[in-house]
Amino acid sequence: MDNYLYKGLRKRLVNQIIKQGISDKKVLDAIEKVPRHLFMESSFSVFAYKNKAFPIGSGQTISQPYTVAFQTEILEVEVGDKILEIGTGSGYQTAILSEMGAKVFTLERYKNLYLKAKNLLTKLGYKANLFYKDGTLGMPNYAPFDKILVTAGAKNIPKYFLEQLKIGGKLVIPVGDNNLQIMTRISKISKNKLEKQEYGNFIFVPLLKGIV
Ligand code: SAH
């Protein structure tokens, strides 16, 4: 459950993230609101508001809060956005996007993580759409999306993501090898015109093919 101690720790985490350069008020409000400790094993609860990634089982991690905030900020989320997230993991990022008023479709390749996240998000009252599915193909039957957010490291940018993005839409994806990725944002200006921006280095678990 949530309590004043956790609320206080979240406030402190938000102040830390502000110092690291995050300024979108909607992102900061969402981080302050979502009880991150519930997205982790209870033995890690006391560490939940440290600005760190943590294991969530199946060799996967819940991303560092700063990383979640950074990806969300450059995605420029608007209320009502239809967003495709690749890599549900713990469901924490899904909760942040839902808290900001987005309609989220999120895909996870590990069945146990999918089930756990689905259970928790339902319990917390978030109405996101979760799927047990290989995300490398995107979600053609629900496309196009205003935004696509990839929360695993990709060797390259799958063409499906660009095809499934609306004109005026944005794709945020960490691109690189297993040890290091460059945070990359692609804006779809028109059908054939893309604009690419790169933002610093991050480390994610890899984007892998197939379901487990
Ligand atoms: N957004 C998550 C981060 C989890 S780490 C969170 O807030 O907790 C990235 C996740 O991407 C892992 O759970 C991993 O299993 C998943 N993943 C990797 N490749 C995938 C793919 N092809 N399709 C769907 N999920 C994938």
Side-chain angles (χ1 to χ4, degrees):
M1 275 286 97
D2 206 13
N3 62 34
Y4 282 103
L5 171 65
Y6 288 129
K7 285 193 175 119
L9 291 173
R10 281 208 290 284
K11 181 107 202 144
R12 209 158 74 183
L13 174 64
V14 166
N15 286 332
Q16 239 181 65
I17 290 174
I18 293 172
K19 283 204 194 99
Q20 287 177 289
I22 303 298
S23 61
D24 184 335
K25 175 96 170 47
K26 289 180 297 177
V27 175
L28 297 168
D29 285 350
I31 302 256
E32 191 165 340
K33 236 170 153 184
V34 177
R36 185 176 189 250
H37 63 282
L38 300 179
F39 292 81
M40 297 167 48
E41 297 297 335
S42 54
S43 48
F44 289 130
S45 291
V46 289
F47 307 117
Y49 299 105
K50 292 201 178 301
N51 203 356
K52 285 193 171 152
F54 273 97
I56 52 170
S58 306
Q60 306 307 312
T61 52
I62 177 169
S63 303
Q64 184 188 1
Y66 168 70
T67 303
V68 171
F70 189 85
Q71 283 200 293
T72 311
E73 180 162 273
I74 64 172
L75 198 61
E76 296 181 1
V77 178
E78 308 272 356
V79 173
D81 269 358
K82 184 174 159 195
I83 302 184
L84 175 64
E85 178 194 16
I86 313 295
T88 313
S90 66
Y92 177 69
Q93 172 78 72
T94 311
I96 294 287
L97 296 172
S98 305
E99 194 63 67
M100 294 173 75
K103 186 168 168 38
V104 188
F105 295 78
T106 181
L107 313 183
E108 173 55 54
R109 67 188 286 273
Y110 275 98
K111 190 161 199 180
N112 62 330
L113 293 179
Y114 154 76
L115 289 171
K116 233 161 112 178
K118 192 173 168 70
N119 189 22
L120 178 59
L121 290 169
T122 307
K123 216 165 81 185
L124 295 177
Y126 292 112
K127 292 193 174 56
N129 306 285
L130 283 77
F131 300 86
Y132 168 49
K133 198 170 162 24
D134 178 3
T136 51
L137 308 174
M139 261 214 133
N141 42 340
Y142 287 87
F145 297 94
D146 295 294
K147 312 278 161 65
I148 300 180
L149 175 59
V150 184
T151 67
K155 292 227 154 52
N156 44 48
I157 301 178
K159 65 171 185 187
Y160 302 106
F161 295 170
L162 300 170
E163 287 170 8
Q164 293 171 25
L165 204 55
K166 281 187 197 170
I167 292 176
K170 287 189 167 60
L171 163 67
V172 170
I173 180 169
V175 185
D177 60 27
N178 281 355
N179 303 317
L180 198 68
Q181 301 97 35
I182 298 174
M183 191 61 76
T184 306
R185 182 174 78 177
I186 308 283
S187 305
K188 189 164 177 175
I189 308 296
S190 65
K191 192 161 184 292
N192 298 312
K193 187 164 181 237
L194 302 170
E195 208 172 78
K196 177 163 132 179
Q197 276 159 292
E198 292 183 332
Y199 305 83
N201 296 332
F202 288 82
I203 303 173
F204 287 78
V205 294
L207 181 73
L208 299 171
K209 286 205 167 89
I211 50 175
V212 198

